[in-house]
Amino acid sequence: MTRSGIDYQALFAVTPSPYMVLGPDLVIADVNEAACRVTGRTREDLLGQYLFDAFPENPADPGAEGVRNLHASLQWVLRSKEPDTMAPQKYDIPVADQPGVFEERWWSAINTPVLGPDGQVMWIIHRGEDVTAFILSQRPPREGTALSDAEAMEVELYARARELRRVNEELRQAHARERQVAVTLQEAMLHSPHLARHRDTAVRYLPAAGSLNVCGDWYEVVDLPENRFAVSVGDVVGHGLEAAAVMGMLRSALSASVRAVGEPAGALDVLGLYARYVEGAMATTVVQAVVDTRARRITYSSAGHPPPVLLHQDGTGELLDQATDPPLGARPEPLPRPQADLPYTPGDTLVLYTDGLIERRGEDIDAGLQRLTNALARHARHSPERLADALLAQLGVSSGARDDIALVVLRL
């Protein structure tokens, strides 16, 4: 019972529309009385069953598509975290107490996600209205029998609904193919061969919620001579394949520049000149740091990027904000970029990120930085992998945010 006095469990039980509650594994967690009536099953029959074990495809119907279509809809809901309304479709169900016997049924279904505190799909509410009587009544009449205007309209609406279902399924398949291409492209562009040598480093990449899984954020780790290595994080304006393509060019150029120049400010100077000739590269922000493991010093330079944090073992942190310059291409004439350095102690943690981690609409960036440093202080003793996950969870972006996110957590 809630404070409002409404018993939602009782309300769910007697709601006249058939409802099932599914877990992300598509196991039936609950059903209401209407669902039991319309399927001829009891709650005891259904609870704890995998949905498609409880309602398998009719083996006597070689053209059956019910399981495939419903499964595609549920997977779409899990991925997109959005409701999906299915067009009326045929999905025969087993007849109770008659093994192997199926009854022809037509359904109009809506699948709705219920998100948990972490933003992930906790449950799917499946509403399946039985429209069998209506569909069967619309089958073509005997030859020579005329349809009334109302009947003709209903047949036309049904035909259009079937066509809409076919088109929606084709769109889903096309979106799935496009998404796979995008994921493969992003993984290829973010491949960092030297990263495997830095075992105390965790990286995370989260595209903007609702995107194709590609964005303009990047991270990179590059080994340099004389016990040094470079780490960078950058952010191209925009989302999607165009931003990702620009990101790939800038990331490669910076990787080559820091190898040739050997120090952050000079590498960003070269990158800034290159960015002037790459469409879509202007206003990119990036921070480049070089870690000297022998001298135990970090040298860095930033082109308009949020400051990295050096987290000490006692939970205190320092913002690397003493060498910040405008984003790439922001000045009419290029000038040498500033550079700063600071010492570190073995066991400290360097955290680099893009603005999607901390920025919130209508909020000053200082509030986001404070939230970040507070979270780091609370989890300072975590391993890099656990620290990365804890940061995303505590800042409320484990499932993505309005903007893309790249994160590097490096134990020095």
Side-chain angles (χ1 to χ4, degrees), residues 81-155:
K81 302 173 188 173
E82 297 288 340
D84 187 48
T85 300
M86 303 180 67
Q89 63 181 295
K90 184 174 181 287
Y91 192 140
D92 299 344
I93 64 171
V95 177
D97 302 324
Q98 297 186 47
V101 178
F102 283 72
E103 180 180 2
E104 181 177 353
R105 292 291 187 89
W106 291 79
W107 307 89
S108 176
I110 300 176
N111 299 307
T112 305
V114 178
L115 304 185
D118 61 352
Q120 299 295 329
V121 176
M122 180 180 294
W123 307 105
I124 298 176
I125 299 175
H126 170 73
R127 191 189 79 180
E129 296 285 357
D130 186 350
V131 294
T132 307
F134 168 76
I135 296 297
L136 296 185
S137 72
Q138 307 310 310
R139 284 182 171 169
R142 294 189 303 274
E143 187 176 352
T145 303
L147 289 174
S148 68
D149 290 344
E151 288 172 333
M153 184 176 294
E154 288 175 343
V155 171

Side-chain angles (χ1 to χ4, degrees), residues 31-350:
V31 294
N32 68 355
E33 296 171 6
C36 292
R37 282 196 305 271
V38 78
T39 60
R41 308 286 285 276
T42 66
R43 294 185 80 252
E44 291 70 23
D45 288 339
L46 297 176
L47 295 186
Q49 283 236 58
Y50 178 59
L51 178 64
F52 299 113
D53 287 341
F55 300 101
E57 201 77 89
N58 183 356
D61 183 359
E65 299 179 323
V67 167
R68 181 173 67 86
N69 292 336
L70 179 55
H71 187 271
S73 173
L74 294 170
Q75 292 301 318
W76 170 268
V77 170
L78 288 170
R79 289 195 305 269
S80 68
K81 302 173 188 173
E82 297 288 340
D84 187 48
T85 300
M86 303 180 67
Q89 63 181 295
K90 184 174 181 287
Y91 192 140
D92 299 344
I93 64 171
V95 177
D97 302 324
Q98 297 186 47
V101 178
F102 283 72
E103 180 180 2
E104 181 177 353
R105 292 291 187 89
W106 291 79
W107 307 89
S108 176
I110 300 176
N111 299 307
T112 305
V114 178
L115 304 185
D118 61 352
Q120 299 295 329
V121 176
M122 180 180 294
W123 307 105
I124 298 176
I125 299 175
H126 170 73
R127 191 189 79 180
E129 296 285 357
D130 186 350
V131 294
T132 307
F134 168 76
I135 296 297
L136 296 185
S137 72
Q138 307 310 310
R139 284 182 171 169
R142 294 189 303 274
E143 187 176 352
T145 303
L147 289 174
S148 68
D149 290 344
E151 288 172 333
M153 184 176 294
E154 288 175 343
V155 171
E156 175 67 14
L157 288 173
Y158 168 64
R160 289 179 182 272
R162 293 284 290 173
E163 178 64 15
L164 180 61
R165 182 185 66 78
R166 183 188 65 78
V167 172
N168 281 341
E169 180 60 25
E170 291 178 357
L171 287 173
R172 279 200 191 97
Q173 293 176 1
H175 184 275
R177 290 192 295 269
E178 187 177 2
R179 185 176 184 275
Q180 185 56 50
V181 170
V183 170
T184 302
L185 172 66
Q186 191 76 24
E187 289 176 348
M189 288 194 295
L190 287 178
H191 178 61
S192 183
H194 295 178
L195 184 59
R197 304 174 190 173
H198 298 266
R199 296 185 177 181
D200 281 339
T201 301
V203 295
R204 297 290 185 269
Y205 157 76
L206 285 80
S211 73
L212 273 178
N213 215 57
V214 293
C215 67
D217 289 14
W218 86 79
Y219 57 81
E220 174 71 297
V221 176
V222 176
D223 285 337
L224 302 173
E226 300 176 355
N227 299 294
R228 298 181 306 142
F229 66 90
V231 55
S232 66
V233 166
D235 184 358
V236 174
V237 175
H239 310 287
L241 292 173
E242 292 184 4
V246 174
M247 175 273 287
M249 291 187 283
L250 294 182
R251 180 177 182 265
S252 297
L254 181 58
S255 179
S257 298
V258 77
R259 284 179 169 95
V261 177
E263 48 93 19
L268 290 185
D269 286 338
V270 173
L271 184 67
L273 292 172
Y274 174 71
R276 290 176 172 270
Y277 300 95
V278 177
E279 185 176 356
M282 305 297 276
T284 293
T285 69
V286 56
V287 62
Q288 175 74 75
V290 172
V291 179
D292 187 329
T293 58
R294 180 177 295 169
R296 298 178 180 173
R297 296 194 73 81
I298 302 170
T299 306
Y300 66 93
S301 184
S302 173
H305 202 80
V309 180
L310 180 62
L311 176 66
H312 302 300
Q313 297 178 69
D314 61 1
T316 60
E318 297 179 66
L319 295 178
L320 277 62
D321 58 0
Q322 299 303 303
T324 299
D325 220 30
L328 301 183
R331 283 202 179 110
E333 296 294 331
L335 296 173
R337 292 188 177 271
Q339 181 170 291
D341 65 355
L342 76 167
Y344 73 86
T345 301
D348 288 349
T349 303
L350 182 62

